[in-house]
Amino acid sequence: MFKAFKKPQKTEIDIEKNVPRLHDLFSPDGLEERFDMLALGASKYCRVYVLTVYPREISVAWLDRIFSLGSVDLSVHVDPIPDRKIVYKLTEKVASAQAQRVVDMKAGNILRLPYLENVIGDLESVRSAIQTNRERMFYVTVVIALHAFSEEELERKSNILDDILARNSAYLRVLVMRQVDGLKSALPVGNLVIQDYNRNLTTGGVAAMMPVSNPDLSHPGGVFIGYSMFTGAPVFYNSFIGPPHLPNQHMACFGFSGSGKSTALKILVARSTLVGIKSVIIDPEGEYRSMVEKLAGGEVVKIAPGRPTGINPLDLETEEEKDGREVINITDKVSEIRALFSAVVQNSAGRGLDPREAAMLEESLREEYDFRGIKSNPDSLYEPGGKSEDGKHYISPVRKKMPTLSDLYKRLIAKPGCSDLAVLLKPFLAGSSLGMFDCQTSVNLNAPVVCFDLSDIRDEFTRFYATFVVLGWAWQKFAQKERHVRKRIVVDEAWMFMKYNESAEFLEIVARRGRKHNTSLLVASQHIEEFLGREKGRAVISNCATIMLLRQSPTVIDDVVEAFHLASGARRYLEDFVPGECLLSLAGATTAVRISFTQYEQPFVTTTPGESAV
Ligand SMILES: Nc1ncnc2c1ncn2[C@@H]1O[C@H](COP(=O)(O)OP(=O)(O)OP(=O)(O)O)[C@@H](O)[C@H]1O
Ligand SMILES: [Mg+2]
């Protein structure tokens, strides 16, 4: 007898055992289906809806509004309907409407005839669009899954969702007792289990159903600046959107030479004019001219040594008081001019104005305004119509000529003991190389974009003087006017402004006080260390809710990562970015964006020789 011999079994090694699979990555911890919601493990709840009533008129990306709720899945299932089926169906409907029209006509039921004619017209135009390949028809099902961390939060969000849809005349249905099927249909696997809520739409209708923007990076009323490098979604930025998105409207942009700062600024400024944002650009390199000239109403003011610019620092404007009254603030103007000449004399003669000189300067300026009868009353800026100095006749009141620096000089020189001070002012009079502001104002204050081109100024001191006057002008005459208008002061190559205490202080003032005047400061600089290393520079940065970081030079990357509290992974991006790629930090929330311009904009926004229109 043989004893059955059992061969020992070979144990197979399962190398895939306990290896996480794809579904492990997205499947919930658990699933409990309730009447009208799902519990997906601990503290996670979900309610699934289907869109049943569609708005009569829809605009592109109309469903994007629901993303403001956060944690929403939107699933749009699109199935083409064969053309022959739809043409047959439409023909059937046209025939039935035409038959009805004949019946109504015979019965004398004329009230319904216009309605039937409209229906027939609509049906025929859709049918002809399909027959000529201009349109196609699709079955569309829209499934929305709303997520929350508690049942109360889910209820609250559900109410808001209903409101958002109701505002668009649309209606959702909760998938009662079919929540699991709903969830399966909402997953991005193309498995539509809910088959009974489809609706037919034309190509345009389907396109309008598609979400366009990333909710975190899409501000209502914003301008398109480029695409998210993570999701490819378009980015719409609105610096004036306000809290909770952005606490203020200021932006600082840093990156090394050629990283794309000026291009980004030009794109933002040009597109912002389309939504009514006015801009003043301080352009040390003369790169913005071609873009500004291209914009309707854009004005370029070239500031060149010895040439009158059309800006008179002694010019007065009315200001709006808190109670809405308009006044002329002569005291502020007088102290502004004293500060201007203290700074200028300090940087040219190496000494400030002594108290006596400062007092004489103020007194002379007041006398100049008095001489012209200009007081705090806005009417005192005008004289009655009639024959004026230039020999012309005016019917309405005419704006008085303002005192100029030459007038101020003449008054000073005639005063005993002021000749030293007058000598200090002499280089700033017309005819001298620094005399560009000894003139009457002629710059158009109502232009949507004004660009001050400083590129013809070579020496440091002239540049300092010019920027100081221009910045003062921008703050006084532009930023502080028209509170209801959104305005922007753009300062490119802002590191130059950090070099002098006075111009650095100016940027700090705009950053601190611009918000109250509805004015945004937009600074760009390649030398971030000029900002981080100075108190005023750090104050400007800390007042900018938006920070744009393009490619950085390896020497400053550590400082940048530390100063903006970036994650260590950001370092790689900042090192590797190509021109136009940036980290955009919106009140601390950071993402990577590729700034993008159209073919049409290219010649006006780029600076590479050959590409540029300059
Ligand atoms: N968003 C972009 N997409 C594609 N190319 C870009 C983009 N931005 C900039 N560039 C390219 O990089 C070049 C330099 O850009 P830009 O003049 O804006 O740099 P910059 O940072 O202002 O340099 P600099 O500090 O020297 O003024 C442009 O002429 C263009 O060719
Ligand atoms: Mg530049």
Side-chain angles (χ1 to χ4, degrees):
M1 290 285 288
F2 294 101
K3 205 173 172 192
F5 178 71
K6 207 172 172 191
K7 213 173 161 190
Q9 260 189 355
K10 244 197 212 164
T11 35
E12 292 241 343
I13 303 170
D14 183 0
I15 57 163
E16 287 188 6
K17 198 173 172 198
N18 291 332
V19 172
R21 285 152 213 238
L22 189 59
H23 65 257
D24 292 324
L25 297 176
F26 64 82
S27 55
D29 299 346
L31 192 145
E32 180 198 338
E33 185 174 23
R34 300 191 191 159
F35 173 66
D36 63 352
M37 63 184 276
L38 295 162
L40 302 170
S43 310
K44 279 189 190 154
Y45 301 87
C46 170
R47 177 166 291 144
V48 190
Y49 297 84
V50 65
L51 190 63
T52 48
V53 177
Y54 289 61
R56 243 189 82 85
E57 282 179 14
I58 48 180
S59 54
V60 172
W62 72 280
L63 276 169
D64 280 7
R65 294 179 187 101
I66 67 169
F67 293 131
S68 60
L69 285 166
S71 296
V72 177
D73 297 334
L74 170 69
S75 192
V76 183
H77 297 260
V78 182
D79 228 349
I81 310 176
D83 288 351
R84 71 188 143 72
K85 267 199 190 172
I86 199 75
V87 169
Y88 178 75
K89 197 82 202 157
L90 287 168
T91 309
E92 213 177 75
K93 289 209 163 208
V94 170
S96 130
Q98 278 170 338
Q100 186 64 49
R101 191 177 56 163
V102 172
V103 171
D104 282 355
M105 269 168 71
K106 282 196 175 155
N109 193 0
I110 55 165
L111 286 180
R112 255 166 63 90
L113 291 183
Y115 162 75
L116 283 171
E117 267 150 26
N118 273 348
V119 170
I120 294 166
D122 285 353
L123 290 169
E124 280 179 336
S125 74
V126 174
R127 186 178 58 174
S128 119
I130 290 170
Q131 282 170 329
T132 52
N133 259 341
R134 283 180 288 126
E135 275 285 17
R136 291 206 64 191
M137 276 287 200
F138 301 86
Y139 286 129
V140 172
T141 309
V142 176
V143 183
I144 296 173
L146 194 57
H147 298 266
F149 291 108
S150 68
E151 291 182 51
E152 296 75 48
E153 188 190 350
L154 190 63
E155 286 314 317
R156 195 171 46 77
K157 282 185 162 184
S158 301
N159 289 335
I160 301 175
L161 181 66
D162 282 342
D163 286 348
I164 294 174
L165 271 291
R167 262 182 249 131
N168 288 284
S169 316
Y171 182 74
L172 288 171
R173 186 174 285 270
V174 180
L175 286 165
V176 174
M177 305 297 282
R178 299 169 74 189
Q179 288 283 303
V180 172
D181 283 350
L183 186 64
K184 285 181 190 163
S185 304
L187 290 176
V189 289
N191 177 17
L192 183 62
V193 186
I194 303 292
Q195 296 271 3
D196 43 344
Y197 284 105
N198 59 21
R199 143 107 198 237
N200 51 8
L201 289 181
T202 56
T203 319
V206 172
M209 289 289 161
M210 297 299 163
V212 169
S213 53
N214 174 340
D216 300 334
L217 279 172
S218 181
H219 295 155
V223 296
F224 169 69
I225 57 166
Y227 297 94
S228 159
M229 288 173 65
F230 301 140
T231 61
V235 177
F236 294 87
Y237 171 68
N238 178 1
S239 53
F240 291 88
I241 191 164
H245 300 275
L246 289 174
N248 63 57
Q249 58 266 65
H250 308 310
M251 180 201 267
C253 170
F254 298 105
F256 81 12
S257 181
S259 55
K261 301 178 295 295
S262 305
T263 306
L265 261 53
K266 282 181 231 172
I267 289 172
L268 192 57
V269 169
R271 294 178 188 168
S272 296
T273 56
L274 300 176
V275 292
I277 299 173
K278 282 186 166 185
S279 301
V280 161
I281 304 165
I282 318 285
D283 177 16
E285 301 291 335
E287 311 173 46
Y288 289 74
R289 198 193 69 207
S290 69
M291 179 203 83
V292 173
E293 283 173 347
K294 197 76 187 160
L295 292 171
E299 177 146 340
V300 179
V301 181
K302 189 141 187 92
I303 300 189
R307 231 196 300 149
T309 51
I311 294 179
N312 176 8
L314 308 189
D315 202 351
L316 284 168
E317 271 296 320
T318 53
E319 275 176 30
E320 197 182 312
E321 292 278 274
K322 282 202 183 103
D323 58 8
R325 262 182 330 122
E326 293 272 321
V327 291
I328 304 170
N329 197 334
I330 294 181
T331 309
D332 269 11
K333 176 50 88 180
V334 168
S335 39
E336 181 202 321
I337 295 301
R338 182 181 29 77
L340 168 69
F341 281 101
S342 297
V344 165
V345 169
Q346 176 74 50
N347 285 289
S348 63
R351 69 161 182 94
L353 297 178
D354 66 35
R356 196 180 151 277
E357 286 171 334
M360 294 317 280
L361 187 72
E362 287 202 12
E363 187 184 286
S364 305
L365 191 53
R366 278 186 191 281
E367 285 171 9
E368 277 298 315
Y369 293 127
D370 265 358
F371 176 68
R372 287 163 174 76
I374 300 172
K375 306 256 176 316
S376 62
N377 172 12
D379 290 342
S380 64
L381 283 179
Y382 297 88
E383 47 200 357
K387 193 170 179 194
S388 80
E389 279 173 25
D390 56 10
K392 291 184 186 157
H393 286 272
Y394 293 90
I395 299 164
S396 51
V398 187
R399 206 170 197 280
K400 288 177 183 166
K401 281 221 157 53
M402 289 287 141
T404 58
L405 291 175
S406 282
D407 297 323
L408 184 61
Y409 170 80
K410 281 183 210 145
R411 194 166 285 275
L412 273 172
I413 201 103
K415 274 188 194 283
C418 286
S419 53
D420 280 1
L421 178 58
V423 169
L424 288 174
L425 278 192
K426 203 152 185 207
F428 301 97
L429 305 186
S432 311
S433 65
L434 290 166
M436 56 268 202
F437 300 113
D438 184 14
C439 57
Q440 293 293 336
T441 296
S442 57
V443 172
N444 174 12
L445 301 172
N446 292 320
V449 187
V450 180
C451 168
F452 292 99
D453 177 353
L454 302 168
S455 59
D456 273 359
I457 304 179
R458 299 277 168 258
D459 82 285
E460 280 247 333
F461 177 72
T462 313
R463 187 171 280 235
F464 163 74
Y465 173 55
T467 50
F468 199 72
V469 173
V470 168
L471 287 173
W473 184 91
W475 177 240
Q476 292 260 323
K477 293 228 168 199
F478 174 74
Q480 301 197 24
K481 302 232 85 184
E482 300 184 298
R483 277 184 196 224
H484 59 284
V485 176
R486 293 176 297 167
K487 289 152 289 183
R488 184 172 274 143
I489 297 182
V490 182
V491 183
D492 203 347
E493 308 286 352
W495 57 272
M496 294 184 190
F497 298 71
M498 282 291 128
K499 288 212 291 199
Y500 294 99
N501 208 24
E502 293 80 7
S503 47
E505 191 170 284
F506 174 83
L507 291 188
E508 191 196 345
I509 290 174
V510 182
R512 279 196 203 286
R513 296 179 42 206
R515 194 178 58 81
K516 297 206 177 79
H517 297 281
N518 211 3
T519 298
S520 152
L521 175 68
L522 187 46
V523 286
S525 180
Q526 47 176 289
H527 300 298
I528 194 166
E529 58 281 7
E530 294 276 355
F531 277 76
L532 295 177
R534 285 164 209 262
E535 196 194 322
K536 292 198 164 49
R538 287 194 298 275
V540 170
I541 290 178
S542 67
N543 276 292
C544 291
T546 306
I547 304 285
M548 182 182 274
L549 297 170
L550 296 114
R551 187 174 174 157
Q552 301 292 322
S553 94
T555 49
V556 297
I557 277 199
D558 285 337
D559 295 340
V560 173
V561 169
E562 193 192 319
F564 297 108
H565 312 292
L566 300 175
S568 56
R571 175 187 303 271
R572 195 170 52 82
Y573 284 101
L574 294 175
E575 278 168 356
D576 295 348
F577 276 152
V578 298
E581 292 178 346
C582 67
L583 288 182
L584 190 65
S585 166
L586 302 175
T590 306
T591 189
V593 175
R594 183 171 297 116
I595 310 282
S596 142
F597 48 79
T598 61
Q599 211 177 354
Y600 167 74
E601 291 169 309
Q602 183 179 10
F604 310 105
V605 298
T606 61
T607 52
T608 306
E611 286 177 16
S612 158
V614 184

